[in-house]
Amino acid sequence: MAKIVGRYGNDRQHWVGDGFPVRSLFSYNDLGAHVSPFLLLDYAGPHMFAPTSERRGVGKHPHRGFETVTIVYDGEVEHRDSAGNGGVIGPGDVQWMTAAGGIIHEEYHSPGFARTGGPFRMVQLWVNLPAKDKMAPAGYQGILKADIPIVTLPKDAGTARIIAGDYQGSTGPARTFTPINVWDLSLSAGADLNLDLPEGHTAMIVVLTGHVTIAESQTAGEAEMVLFGRDGGKIAIRADGDAKLLVLTGEPIDEPIVGYGPFVMNSEAEIRQAAEDFNSGRFVSAAT
Protein backbone atom coordinates (compact mmCIF):
# COMPACT_ATOMS: atom_id res chain seq x y z
CA MET A 1 0.00 0.00 0.00
CA ALA A 2 1.15 3.54 -0.69
CA LYS A 3 2.50 5.36 2.35
CA ILE A 4 0.56 8.38 3.61
CA VAL A 5 2.89 11.33 4.31
CA GLY A 6 0.32 13.75 5.70
CA ARG A 7 -2.98 15.60 5.42
CA TYR A 8 -3.05 19.31 4.65
CA GLY A 9 -5.73 21.96 4.30
CA ASN A 10 -6.67 25.53 5.02
CA ASP A 11 -9.86 26.92 6.50
CA ARG A 12 -8.79 30.54 5.94
CA GLN A 13 -10.25 32.10 2.83
CA HIS A 14 -8.78 35.12 1.06
CA TRP A 15 -9.84 37.03 -2.02
CA VAL A 16 -7.91 37.16 -5.28
CA GLY A 17 -9.25 40.31 -6.87
CA ASP A 18 -12.97 40.57 -6.24
CA GLY A 19 -14.00 37.40 -8.07
CA PHE A 20 -12.14 34.51 -6.49
CA PRO A 21 -12.58 33.65 -2.79
CA VAL A 22 -9.85 31.03 -2.40
CA ARG A 23 -8.36 28.64 0.12
CA SER A 24 -4.75 27.65 -0.64
CA LEU A 25 -4.66 23.93 0.14
CA PHE A 26 -0.92 23.50 -0.40
CA SER A 27 2.03 25.57 -1.54
CA TYR A 28 5.72 25.09 -2.33
CA ASN A 29 6.36 27.79 0.27
CA ASP A 30 5.32 25.29 2.95
CA LEU A 31 6.02 21.89 1.40
CA GLY A 32 8.78 22.74 -1.09
CA ALA A 33 10.10 19.85 -3.15
CA HIS A 34 7.71 17.41 -1.41
CA VAL A 35 4.95 18.46 -3.83
CA SER A 36 7.11 18.82 -6.97
CA PRO A 37 6.23 19.16 -9.85
CA PHE A 38 3.17 20.88 -8.39
CA LEU A 39 3.56 24.30 -6.78
CA LEU A 40 0.23 25.20 -5.21
CA LEU A 41 -3.48 24.63 -5.39
CA ASP A 42 -6.14 27.27 -4.75
CA TYR A 43 -9.73 26.17 -4.23
CA ALA A 44 -12.14 29.00 -5.03
CA GLY A 45 -15.59 28.75 -3.51
CA PRO A 46 -18.11 27.41 -3.16
CA HIS A 47 -19.59 30.92 -3.19
CA MET A 48 -22.88 32.44 -4.30
CA PHE A 49 -22.49 35.63 -6.34
CA ALA A 50 -25.30 38.14 -6.81
CA PRO A 51 -25.99 39.49 -10.32
CA THR A 52 -23.94 42.55 -11.27
CA SER A 53 -23.03 44.78 -14.20
CA GLU A 54 -19.47 45.11 -12.87
CA ARG A 55 -16.49 42.98 -13.91
CA ARG A 56 -15.51 40.60 -11.14
CA GLY A 57 -12.09 38.99 -11.17
CA VAL A 58 -8.45 39.96 -11.24
CA GLY A 59 -6.92 42.39 -13.74
CA LYS A 60 -3.70 42.23 -15.71
CA HIS A 61 -0.85 40.51 -13.91
CA PRO A 62 2.34 38.69 -15.00
CA HIS A 63 3.64 35.15 -14.62
CA ARG A 64 6.90 33.44 -15.53
CA GLY A 65 8.35 29.97 -15.08
CA PHE A 66 5.33 27.67 -14.63
CA GLU A 67 1.80 26.74 -15.80
CA THR A 68 -1.64 27.43 -14.38
CA VAL A 69 -4.44 24.87 -14.68
CA THR A 70 -7.95 26.18 -14.02
CA ILE A 71 -10.82 23.69 -13.65
CA VAL A 72 -14.34 25.13 -13.37
CA TYR A 73 -17.11 23.29 -11.53
CA ASP A 74 -19.72 26.07 -11.19
CA GLY A 75 -19.86 29.47 -12.90
CA GLU A 76 -17.82 30.76 -15.83
CA VAL A 77 -14.31 32.22 -16.15
CA GLU A 78 -13.04 34.42 -18.98
CA HIS A 79 -9.31 34.48 -19.80
CA ARG A 80 -7.28 36.90 -21.95
CA ASP A 81 -3.52 37.17 -22.26
CA SER A 82 -0.68 39.02 -23.95
CA ALA A 83 -0.04 36.16 -26.37
CA GLY A 84 -3.43 36.83 -27.94
CA ASN A 85 -5.18 33.86 -26.39
CA GLY A 86 -8.54 33.97 -24.70
CA GLY A 87 -11.75 32.17 -24.05
CA VAL A 88 -14.58 31.41 -21.65
CA ILE A 89 -14.81 28.15 -19.75
CA GLY A 90 -17.79 26.83 -17.82
CA PRO A 91 -18.60 23.77 -15.69
CA GLY A 92 -16.37 20.85 -16.65
CA ASP A 93 -14.02 22.91 -18.82
CA VAL A 94 -10.28 23.51 -18.24
CA GLN A 95 -7.83 26.29 -19.10
CA TRP A 96 -4.19 25.19 -19.19
CA MET A 97 -1.98 28.27 -19.49
CA THR A 98 1.78 28.00 -19.99
CA ALA A 99 3.38 31.19 -18.69
CA ALA A 100 6.92 29.88 -19.32
CA GLY A 101 9.10 32.80 -20.51
CA GLY A 102 6.52 35.36 -19.54
CA ILE A 103 2.92 36.35 -20.01
CA ILE A 104 0.48 38.97 -18.79
CA HIS A 105 -3.09 37.81 -18.37
CA GLU A 106 -6.39 38.62 -16.73
CA GLU A 107 -9.14 36.42 -15.34
CA TYR A 108 -12.72 37.56 -14.82
CA HIS A 109 -16.14 36.06 -14.45
CA SER A 110 -17.70 35.87 -17.90
CA PRO A 111 -20.11 38.73 -18.72
CA GLY A 112 -22.98 36.24 -18.88
CA PHE A 113 -22.28 34.76 -15.46
CA ALA A 114 -21.81 38.23 -13.96
CA ARG A 115 -25.26 39.26 -15.23
CA THR A 116 -27.05 36.22 -13.82
CA GLY A 117 -24.93 35.49 -10.75
CA GLY A 118 -25.15 32.10 -9.11
CA PRO A 119 -22.94 29.43 -7.54
CA PHE A 120 -19.22 29.61 -8.26
CA ARG A 121 -16.55 26.97 -7.65
CA MET A 122 -13.21 26.32 -9.35
CA VAL A 123 -9.68 25.06 -8.76
CA GLN A 124 -6.43 26.59 -9.92
CA LEU A 125 -3.33 24.41 -9.85
CA TRP A 126 0.20 25.71 -10.49
CA VAL A 127 2.54 23.25 -12.22
CA ASN A 128 6.28 23.87 -12.27
CA LEU A 129 8.42 23.73 -15.42
CA PRO A 130 11.92 22.26 -15.64
CA ALA A 131 14.76 24.78 -16.03
CA LYS A 132 15.17 23.99 -19.72
CA ASP A 133 11.55 25.00 -20.40
CA LYS A 134 11.11 27.98 -18.07
CA MET A 135 11.84 30.46 -20.88
CA ALA A 136 9.87 28.58 -23.57
CA PRO A 137 7.21 30.49 -25.52
CA ALA A 138 3.98 31.08 -23.65
CA GLY A 139 1.03 28.89 -24.59
CA TYR A 140 -2.65 28.21 -23.92
CA GLN A 141 -4.88 25.15 -24.05
CA GLY A 142 -8.62 25.64 -23.82
CA ILE A 143 -9.97 22.18 -23.01
CA LEU A 144 -13.73 21.75 -23.22
CA LYS A 145 -15.72 19.28 -21.15
CA ALA A 146 -16.64 17.34 -24.29
CA ASP A 147 -12.95 16.76 -25.07
CA ILE A 148 -12.16 15.11 -21.70
CA PRO A 149 -12.55 11.30 -21.70
CA ILE A 150 -14.66 9.76 -18.94
CA VAL A 151 -13.85 6.36 -17.46
CA THR A 152 -16.46 4.37 -15.52
CA LEU A 153 -14.87 3.15 -12.31
CA PRO A 154 -15.11 -0.52 -11.23
CA LYS A 155 -18.12 -1.74 -9.24
CA ASP A 156 -20.15 1.38 -10.10
CA ALA A 157 -17.93 3.43 -7.80
CA GLY A 158 -18.35 6.52 -10.00
CA THR A 159 -16.47 8.13 -12.86
CA ALA A 160 -13.04 9.58 -13.60
CA ARG A 161 -12.41 12.41 -16.05
CA ILE A 162 -8.88 12.16 -17.45
CA ILE A 163 -7.65 15.74 -17.92
CA ALA A 164 -3.96 14.86 -18.21
CA GLY A 165 -1.97 11.65 -18.26
CA ASP A 166 -3.40 8.15 -18.55
CA TYR A 167 -5.84 5.98 -16.66
CA GLN A 168 -7.25 2.59 -17.62
CA GLY A 169 -6.26 3.07 -21.27
CA SER A 170 -7.72 6.58 -21.60
CA THR A 171 -5.41 9.54 -22.26
CA GLY A 172 -6.22 13.10 -21.27
CA PRO A 173 -6.08 15.91 -23.85
CA ALA A 174 -3.70 18.20 -21.93
CA ARG A 175 -0.17 18.50 -23.29
CA THR A 176 2.40 18.56 -20.47
CA PHE A 177 6.15 19.24 -20.28
CA THR A 178 6.79 16.46 -17.75
CA PRO A 179 4.82 13.29 -16.91
CA ILE A 180 1.69 14.37 -14.98
CA ASN A 181 -1.68 12.81 -14.20
CA VAL A 182 -4.73 14.94 -13.41
CA TRP A 183 -7.83 12.82 -12.76
CA ASP A 184 -11.15 14.38 -11.76
CA LEU A 185 -13.14 11.77 -9.81
CA SER A 186 -16.79 11.64 -8.82
CA LEU A 187 -17.48 8.89 -6.28
CA SER A 188 -20.86 7.55 -5.20
CA ALA A 189 -21.74 7.23 -1.52
CA GLY A 190 -20.34 4.03 -0.06
CA ALA A 191 -18.09 3.39 -3.06
CA ASP A 192 -14.79 1.57 -2.62
CA LEU A 193 -12.00 2.31 -5.08
CA ASN A 194 -8.44 1.02 -5.39
CA LEU A 195 -6.00 3.20 -7.32
CA ASP A 196 -2.47 2.36 -8.44
CA LEU A 197 -0.03 5.23 -7.91
CA PRO A 198 2.95 5.41 -10.30
CA GLU A 199 6.28 4.55 -8.71
CA GLY A 200 8.53 7.60 -8.35
CA HIS A 201 5.71 10.12 -8.70
CA THR A 202 4.63 12.71 -6.20
CA ALA A 203 0.99 11.76 -5.56
CA MET A 204 -1.89 13.40 -3.75
CA ILE A 205 -5.65 13.30 -3.41
CA VAL A 206 -7.52 16.59 -3.05
CA VAL A 207 -11.05 16.35 -1.63
CA LEU A 208 -13.26 19.01 -3.18
CA THR A 209 -16.61 17.92 -1.79
CA GLY A 210 -17.72 15.14 0.53
CA HIS A 211 -15.65 12.98 2.84
CA VAL A 212 -13.45 9.93 2.25
CA THR A 213 -11.48 7.37 4.23
CA ILE A 214 -8.11 6.32 2.81
CA ALA A 215 -6.34 3.08 3.71
CA GLU A 216 -9.02 2.44 6.36
CA SER A 217 -7.40 4.98 8.68
CA GLN A 218 -6.84 8.43 7.16
CA THR A 219 -9.94 10.58 6.77
CA ALA A 220 -10.21 13.71 4.65
CA GLY A 221 -13.04 16.14 3.99
CA GLU A 222 -13.79 19.15 1.85
CA ALA A 223 -10.77 21.32 1.01
CA GLU A 224 -8.19 18.85 2.32
CA MET A 225 -5.25 17.20 0.56
CA VAL A 226 -3.63 13.85 1.39
CA LEU A 227 0.00 13.47 0.27
CA PHE A 228 1.60 10.08 -0.41
CA GLY A 229 5.16 8.79 -0.58
CA ARG A 230 6.89 8.26 -3.91
CA ASP A 231 7.24 4.48 -3.68
CA GLY A 232 4.01 3.98 -5.58
CA GLY A 233 1.56 1.25 -4.72
CA LYS A 234 -2.15 0.93 -4.19
CA ILE A 235 -4.41 3.21 -2.24
CA ALA A 236 -7.84 2.19 -1.01
CA ILE A 237 -10.46 4.95 -0.96
CA ARG A 238 -13.92 4.71 0.56
CA ALA A 239 -16.44 7.44 -0.10
CA ASP A 240 -18.38 8.11 3.10
CA GLY A 241 -20.93 10.00 0.98
CA ASP A 242 -21.00 11.39 -2.55
CA ALA A 243 -17.56 12.92 -3.11
CA LYS A 244 -15.53 14.78 -5.71
CA LEU A 245 -11.75 14.35 -5.73
CA LEU A 246 -8.75 15.41 -7.74
CA VAL A 247 -6.00 12.83 -8.03
CA LEU A 248 -2.67 14.46 -8.92
CA THR A 249 0.54 12.59 -9.66
CA GLY A 250 3.70 13.82 -11.32
CA GLU A 251 7.36 13.09 -11.88
CA PRO A 252 9.32 15.32 -9.47
CA ILE A 253 11.54 18.04 -10.91
CA ASP A 254 14.78 17.75 -8.96
CA GLU A 255 15.83 21.40 -9.28
CA PRO A 256 15.87 24.42 -6.94
CA ILE A 257 12.57 26.27 -6.51
CA VAL A 258 12.82 30.02 -6.00
CA GLY A 259 9.58 31.96 -6.13
CA TYR A 260 8.51 35.54 -5.71
CA GLY A 261 4.82 36.30 -6.18
CA PRO A 262 3.92 35.53 -9.80
CA PHE A 263 7.41 34.28 -10.76
CA VAL A 264 8.82 30.80 -10.02
CA MET A 265 12.36 30.19 -11.22
CA ASN A 266 15.53 28.34 -10.12
CA SER A 267 17.61 31.18 -8.65
CA GLU A 268 17.35 34.62 -7.06
CA ALA A 269 19.13 36.07 -10.11
CA GLU A 270 16.40 34.70 -12.40
CA ILE A 271 13.72 36.21 -10.15
CA ARG A 272 15.44 39.60 -10.32
CA GLN A 273 15.65 39.27 -14.10
CA ALA A 274 11.94 38.42 -14.32
CA ALA A 275 11.02 41.50 -12.28
CA GLU A 276 13.33 43.68 -14.37
CA ASP A 277 11.90 42.32 -17.62
CA PHE A 278 8.36 42.98 -16.44
CA ASN A 279 9.08 46.47 -15.07
CA SER A 280 10.94 47.40 -18.25
CA GLY A 281 7.99 46.46 -20.44
CA ARG A 282 9.64 43.39 -21.93
CA PHE A 283 6.51 41.42 -21.06
CA VAL A 284 4.01 42.22 -23.81
CA SER A 285 1.03 44.23 -22.56
CA ALA A 286 -2.20 42.27 -22.37
CA ALA A 287 -4.85 42.88 -25.01
CA THR A 288 -7.53 45.33 -23.94
Side-chain angles (χ1 to χ4, degrees):
M1 299 293 288
K3 179 183 177 182
I4 296 173
V5 174
R7 180 182 66 184
Y8 306 89
N10 185 0
D11 58 4
R12 295 184 179 180
Q13 191 177 78
H14 67 277
W15 284 85
V16 177
D18 62 358
F20 307 108
V22 308
R23 288 169 283 180
S24 297
L25 304 192
F26 69 83
S27 167
Y28 69 95
N29 289 318
D30 300 319
L31 294 174
H34 293 293
V35 293
S36 178
F38 308 109
L39 293 169
L40 69 78
L41 186 140
D42 280 347
Y43 185 20
H47 189 85
M48 183 67 68
F49 283 95
T52 183
S53 59
E54 303 294 324
R55 296 189 79 191
R56 288 197 183 107
V58 58
K60 298 172 185 175
H61 57 285
H63 288 300
R64 174 178 280 182
F66 61 98
E67 301 184 284
T68 66
V69 180
T70 303
I71 307 170
V72 173
Y73 294 94
D74 295 302
E76 290 183 340
V77 176
E78 182 179 37
H79 166 100
R80 289 191 295 175
D81 66 41
S82 53
N85 300 305
V88 173
I89 58 171
D93 299 335
V94 178
Q95 288 175 339
W96 197 296
M97 186 191 77
T98 303
I103 203 166
I104 299 173
H105 76 139
E106 56 186 36
E107 299 163 288
Y108 286 95
H109 296 181
S110 73
F113 177 70
R115 282 194 300 271
T116 63
F120 185 86
R121 189 163 56 96
M122 57 161 264
V123 164
Q124 186 168 96
L125 172 71
W126 288 16
V127 180
N128 203 9
L129 291 172
K132 66 182 182 63
D133 296 313
K134 281 190 176 291
M135 295 300 291
Y140 175 83
Q141 301 173 68
I143 303 171
L144 298 179
K145 178 180 179 180
D147 298 326
I148 299 173
I150 300 175
V151 175
T152 300
L153 298 172
K155 300 179 181 178
D156 296 321
T159 59
R161 300 194 319 139
I162 315 306
I163 296 170
D166 300 280
Y167 179 73
Q168 297 293 315
S170 292
T171 300
R175 301 182 303 275
T176 67
F177 284 79
T178 58
I180 289 172
N181 292 300
V182 179
W183 306 332
D184 185 21
L185 272 57
S186 296
L187 299 183
S188 302
D192 289 298
L193 176 67
N194 290 314
L195 287 178
D196 288 311
L197 299 181
E199 184 177 351
H201 274 213
T202 295
M204 61 187 77
I205 289 176
V206 181
V207 181
L208 302 178
T209 64
H211 191 277
V212 298
T213 301
I214 299 170
E216 299 183 351
S217 59
Q218 179 65 69
T219 62
E222 179 178 317
E224 291 186 320
M225 180 271 280
V226 177
L227 180 65
F228 299 88
R230 292 176 178 163
D231 294 335
K234 290 186 179 295
I235 55 172
I237 306 168
R238 180 173 180 81
D240 303 317
D242 290 346
K244 289 194 67 67
L245 318 175
L246 273 180
V247 178
L248 308 174
T249 88
E251 186 176 284
I253 299 172
D254 187 18
E255 296 171 349
I257 302 171
V258 180
Y260 181 77
F263 309 131
V264 182
M265 304 299 289
N266 299 112
S267 69
E268 296 286 352
E270 290 173 332
I271 293 293
R272 290 193 295 271
Q273 186 64 57
E276 180 182 334
D277 289 347
F278 172 64
N279 292 329
S280 300
R282 289 192 285 270
F283 280 31
V284 179
S285 296
T288 58

